[in-house]
Amino acid sequence: MELTRSCLVVHGRDLADDRGAAARHMVWCRRTDELVDGPNASHITPQALDRWERRLEDLFAGRPYDMLDAALSDTITKFPIDIQPFKDMIDGMRTDLKKARYKNFDELYMYCYYVAGTVGLMSVPVMGIAPESKATAESVYGAALALGLANQLTNILRDVGEDARRGRIYLPQDELAEAGLSDEDIFKGVVTDKWRKFMKRQIKRARMFFEEAERGVTELRKESRWPVWASLLLYRQILDEIEANDYNNFTKRAYVGKAKKVLALPVAYGKSLLLPSSLRNNQT
Ligand SMILES: Nc1ncnc2c1ncn2[C@@H]1O[C@H](COP(=O)(O)OP(=O)(O)OP(=O)(O)O)[C@@H](O)[C@H]1O
Ligand SMILES: CC(C)=CCC/C(C)=C/CC/C(C)=C/CC/C(C)=C/COP(=O)(O)OP(=O)(O)O
Ligand SMILES: [Mn+2]
């Protein structure tokens, strides 16, 4: 993927009148995710994912299949968007069809890259890097990847019970064993001190990825920073809710209540006014 700044800055100027572009990505991602997560998930087959991938290639070749694909086709003509992250996301869905256990964090990291890190990568060309930013494009893409990973890790920690009921355990097997835990403990769904200690470590790591992402949000174009800050703060608050539930992510779904969601918006707005860190450093 060509990470040249000029193509981003040039296209960045289109951002102001094309804020809907990011939403079109999300629609495609949501439809892809629903293939394996949605109501018809039990009928999805590798062949169906192959058909979905061919439809993606047609969409990128300017032959969209339906209105929603056409919207993304339009975005692709306006922003320097690479097909690879989209293909990687479909690969991630293929993994979900056949893989229900993860040996270690390396394996889980790769899965999170495919299903969510890709969302970060595909979003940067649309969000645009601030023309005044001194950060390298690579560091901004790294932050976007980190936000995807942080979100997916949070999503996994939120849905341990829900995923277990579908026979899926994403948590690294070696780390569970080190903590004296087994798949059985997860299926039993009892919160023990061993579980609390294990979860504290998992939450700490997810927060590390959010911190890496924060360093990149300030480098985005001004118009993009508020929505990205809002989504970062809101998703990260799910971790606080898991703690508030005393780590019972077996039978209680951690979610951020409406009031807290609304409160996050002005906080996100304030953060969006922060200068790109590369400029702040020069100012001090
Ligand atoms: N107040 C609530 N009470 C019970 N369940 C809720 C509540 N709010 C949300 N949910 C459940 O959580 C799901 C997602 O809502 P949530 O507020 O977590 O948004 P979200 O973080 O965007 O979730 P997701 O990432 O799955 O889209 C809802 O579809 C619903 O099943
Ligand atoms: C930080 C910088 C520089 C740029 C921003 C880059 C962006 C926009 C990243 C967004 C990443 C993102 C939203 C990933 C999605 C990950 C995720 C956990 C989606 C949740 O899917 P659901 O379907 O709600 O979860 P379930 O599948 O569990 O239902
Ligand atoms: Mn889903």
Side-chain angles (χ1 to χ4, degrees):
M1 177 191 302
E2 187 60 68
L3 301 183
T4 54
R5 168 182 304 287
S6 55
C7 74
L8 291 178
V9 172
V10 171
H11 288 283
R13 269 198 291 280
D14 300 335
L15 253 189
D17 56 21
D18 204 332
R19 219 105 26 114
R24 295 166 181 174
H25 280 60
M26 296 304 159
V27 166
W28 186 86
C29 293
R30 173 55 65 194
R31 291 171 93 188
T32 305
D33 179 70
E34 290 300 308
L35 290 176
V36 293
D37 253 5
N40 318 326
S42 50
H43 311 304
I44 194 72
T45 59
Q47 293 70 25
L49 286 174
D50 293 346
R51 281 197 301 278
W52 185 246
E53 183 155 10
R54 276 199 298 284
R55 216 171 112 166
L56 172 74
E57 287 155 358
D58 287 349
L59 184 159
F60 264 78
R63 293 190 304 276
Y65 183 84
D66 64 9
M67 279 312 288
L68 291 172
D69 282 2
L72 183 52
S73 257
D74 175 52
T75 301
I76 286 157
T77 59
K78 292 191 175 115
F79 297 91
I81 294 163
D82 190 279
I83 193 170
Q84 197 52 48
F86 293 80
K87 284 175 158 281
D88 286 348
M89 175 175 267
I90 296 175
D91 261 350
M93 299 303 155
R94 290 192 176 99
T95 308
D96 247 344
L97 289 187
K98 54 185 188 262
K99 191 179 178 64
R101 294 293 181 280
Y102 288 78
K103 230 182 9 255
N104 52 37
F105 187 67
D106 286 352
E107 276 195 0
L108 179 58
Y109 180 99
M110 282 318 291
Y111 170 75
C112 292
Y113 160 72
Y114 280 113
V115 297
T118 47
V119 183
L121 297 184
M122 56 176 84
S123 305
V124 174
V126 175
M127 302 291 177
I129 296 177
E132 65 276 14
S133 163
K134 298 281 179 289
T136 60
E138 285 72 11
S139 66
V140 179
Y141 274 88
L145 178 57
L147 182 52
L149 293 165
N151 282 345
Q152 191 58 36
L153 289 173
T154 301
N155 188 278
I156 286 167
L157 296 178
R158 180 191 71 191
D159 296 349
V160 170
E162 183 182 310
D163 290 332
R165 283 185 285 281
R166 286 199 299 211
R168 287 182 194 165
I169 296 180
Y170 292 101
L171 300 167
Q173 290 290 317
D174 60 347
E175 294 176 7
L176 284 165
E178 266 165 47
L181 294 162
S182 68
D183 291 2
E184 263 326 293
D185 294 314
I186 292 186
F187 291 126
K188 261 193 318 214
V190 174
V191 179
T192 62
D193 283 346
K194 278 181 185 173
W195 181 250
R196 288 187 184 89
K197 188 164 175 244
F198 173 79
M199 277 302 298
K200 281 175 184 162
R201 185 175 167 216
Q202 299 296 320
I203 289 173
K204 186 166 185 284
R205 179 164 54 192
R207 284 187 171 129
M208 265 168 38
F209 281 101
F210 277 116
E211 275 159 33
E212 186 187 341
E214 284 195 332
R215 289 194 283 276
V217 186
T218 52
E219 308 298 340
L220 292 174
R221 286 182 50 77
K222 190 173 176 328
E223 292 84 349
S224 306
R225 297 205 289 261
W226 185 15
V228 175
W229 271 115
S231 91
L232 186 155
L233 295 178
L234 283 173
Y235 226 81
R236 179 163 58 188
Q237 280 181 7
I238 293 175
L239 298 174
D240 306 343
E241 296 303 325
I242 294 174
E243 290 170 333
N245 288 343
D246 186 26
Y247 307 97
N248 176 10
N249 46 359
F250 298 116
T251 56
K252 268 194 197 163
R253 183 189 175 107
Y255 57 87
V256 181
K258 301 291 176 254
K260 282 186 187 165
K261 279 186 176 168
V262 170
L263 268 179
L265 298 180
V267 174
Y269 184 72
K271 284 177 176 287
S272 74
L273 301 176
L274 276 176
L275 276 177
S277 47
S278 46
L279 285 185
R280 279 204 308 275
N281 301 342
N282 298 349
Q283 304 248 329
T284 45

